[in-house]
Amino acid sequence: MTVGTAAAGAPPRHVSPSRASLPSRHGSPLNPQSSRPMSVKSSCATTSATKIHLANLDRVLLKPSPPQPTFQPEIDLKQHSDNQRSGAGERGGMMMNPFNLASLFPDLFRKQAADEIMSPPSLTRLQRLLSDSSRSSPKNFIAANWRQIHGVTGWSGLLDPLDENLRRELVRYGDFVQAAYHAFHSLPSPVFPAASPSSRHRHLILPDRFYRPTKSLFATSSLDLPDWAQPAAPQWLTQRSSWIGYVAVCDNDREVRRMGRRDVTIVLRGTATCLEWAENLRTALVPVDSEADAAVEVGQRGVPKVACGFRSLHKTAGEHVPSLATAVVDEVRRLMEVYEGEELSITVTGHSLGAALALLVADELSTCAPHVPPISVVSFGGPRVGNRAFAERLKRRGVNVLRVVNDKDVVTMVPSAAGLPHLSEEYVHVGSELRVDNRDSPYLRPDAGPACCHDLEAYLHLVDGFMGTGFGFRSDAKRSLVRLLELQRPNIKKVYLSGAQAIRLNPVDVRRPVQSKDQACLASPSV
């Protein structure tokens, strides 16, 4: 029996309906071994179906389409910066601006921007920024160049673009000042070491576990509040002596090796009481030193002078506490004896009023001992403090000053001869400057008010995202937005407020003391 006869005589094999409905594998465009001829019509149909099938697979697998190469002409940094600040990218700015579509269809463009920000990846990033991460940020080994980061060369080459190690140091010192604000507002009533030694450090929680506080600092006003005003305000608002900061020292050997020295930090908060506000308004320039000491400074440079109110808070002693100047000098001398023979550095940091007092403290420390460690000042939102002779004296004494300035912060522009025509001498700023701008942040409104421009948390947010002039905001900035959202909600773009509501952010009570694992705690500085 032949093969053909056997095939013809065999009973038909049962085929399931599902398999019968499938196309034959022979002649499939996905089977290159097939030799069965196909008609042109069936080939086109099958190819079209295959393309659709592959496209559906791409969608399921979320496979992004390859970018199309485009030619983009060179643009200058200023135009690039303007495009970023206006919310438009380089490509969008060059391709859409000639047609001015944004002005013709503003609602459409706003909706597209909102949809992009409210996309799942963006909401995931926003949720990460709105949650306080307990993981530590990476720290680089800076022992070899700590003097440059500390300002021995005036921070030349480190500010624009901003060095990542310097950025981390600046944010860390700013967090020390935030800790001073939290400690003061958690316990504003007067607590003096003589009356309550166990409470002399108040509710102070340092953001860096490698540092420990060693002494509380108090500032005393030489003014008295009128009797008629005292019953109308809480005692902490009217008291002459107030807790204004602390001294801390790096107390971890591993961290000391990483930084290349043991760092002593003096931290000073900004204005909080009525008498401190009153001292801020006393802008008459007075000699820093007594008449005998001032006579030594007289020469071609003139007499170093500072604002009367700042000098008062620095030099006046209280009933139960020494003056700020005396307390800092005594504590630094003590720490120099404790760590004699070690490499030390002194960093004075402060915000607003604390930034002004930081210059006076650094000037005092520069001559407090025969061999004083290197001194630097890191100030945030500080006003002008003294005349040109005072600025030259700080430079001559080797005090390195870095002022972090928000472009629209009014406090950094006063006092000035334009606003105070009665001044016989002109106020000048001291040291180097790092200038940041609210318009560089993707989260803050470009027209943010004066309170936001002077807010310390806004400063730290901007420093953490600053890369350099014309480079835009750092895309991988990790600083938590919790404090910024709570303290500056009216100055945050509405689309991000909607994003915060979309992920159901729990509000933070900024009035209660901050605990170590509290959501209101600041995230560790990032590099």
Side-chain angles (χ1 to χ4, degrees), residues 65-327:
S65 302
Q68 299 296 328
T70 57
F71 171 76
Q72 295 184 358
E74 295 182 358
I75 58 175
D76 59 276
L77 289 178
K78 181 178 185 301
Q79 179 183 359
H80 176 66
S81 177
D82 291 341
N83 286 341
Q84 287 186 329
R85 288 177 177 175
S86 63
E90 294 181 9
R91 183 177 178 183
M94 289 186 294
M95 297 184 64
M96 294 300 185
N97 283 346
F99 300 99
N100 201 18
L101 296 180
S103 61
L104 296 176
F105 306 102
D107 295 335
L108 175 61
F109 276 77
R110 278 196 295 267
K111 184 179 184 303
Q112 289 177 349
D115 291 343
E116 181 179 353
I117 293 175
M118 297 295 287
S119 65
S122 298
L123 284 178
T124 301
R125 169 175 165 77
L126 184 62
Q127 186 173 17
R128 178 175 61 81
L129 291 174
L130 289 173
S131 62
D132 179 42
S133 174
S134 59
R135 59 185 178 180
S136 300
S137 298
K139 295 179 179 181
N140 295 333
F141 196 79
I142 61 173
N145 60 336
W146 74 265
R147 291 182 180 273
Q148 286 73 23
I149 296 176
H150 201 248
V152 68
T153 60
W155 294 278
S156 176
L158 300 179
L159 297 178
D160 198 0
L162 182 59
D163 179 80
E164 64 176 16
N165 293 317
L166 177 59
R167 177 194 291 115
R168 192 192 186 285
E169 293 295 295
L170 295 179
V171 174
R172 179 162 61 92
Y173 288 126
D175 280 340
F176 281 149
V177 183
Q178 284 284 39
Y181 276 116
H182 296 328
F184 177 78
H185 289 294
S186 67
L187 189 61
S189 58
V191 177
F192 304 117
S196 181
S198 61
S199 303
R200 63 170 177 242
H201 298 315
R202 309 173 70 84
H203 293 170
L204 181 61
I205 301 175
L206 296 187
D208 193 323
R209 66 182 185 276
F210 297 134
Y211 282 72
R212 64 175 176 87
T214 64
K215 189 177 184 63
S216 288
L217 301 176
F218 296 83
T220 302
S221 171
S222 60
L223 302 176
D224 287 318
L225 203 66
D227 294 337
W228 59 267
Q230 293 183 6
Q235 183 182 4
W236 69 270
L237 275 176
T238 59
Q239 63 198 20
R240 290 185 58 208
S241 297
S242 299
W243 189 91
I244 199 168
Y246 57 94
V247 180
V249 62
C250 183
D251 195 32
N252 180 275
D253 293 337
R254 183 177 178 181
E255 183 71 359
V256 170
R257 289 193 297 271
R258 185 192 72 84
M259 295 194 302
R261 87 283 189 191
R262 190 180 298 274
D263 186 43
V264 177
T265 303
I266 295 98
V267 182
L268 303 168
R269 62 162 175 81
T271 309
T273 70
C274 293
L275 291 180
E276 290 171 358
W277 279 109
E279 294 284 19
N280 289 342
L281 300 178
R282 301 174 66 191
T283 56
L285 286 168
V286 297
V288 182
D289 307 310
S290 62
E291 294 183 3
D293 296 331
V296 179
E297 296 284 348
V298 174
Q300 295 181 354
R301 300 182 181 88
V303 178
K305 296 180 180 180
V306 296
C308 176
F310 297 154
R311 187 184 186 279
S312 170
L313 290 171
H314 182 236
K315 290 287 191 179
T316 306
E319 296 181 4
H320 304 285
V321 293
S323 68
L324 176 61
T326 300

Side-chain angles (χ1 to χ4, degrees), residues 438-456:
N438 278 2
R439 294 173 293 178
D440 291 333
S441 170
Y443 307 102
L444 293 175
R445 291 173 49 182
D447 59 343
C452 179
C453 293
H454 188 60
D455 182 70
L456 178 57

Side-chain angles (χ1 to χ4, degrees), residues 361-374:
V361 167
D363 178 68
E364 191 86 24
L365 290 175
S366 63
T367 58
C368 72
H371 302 287
V372 181

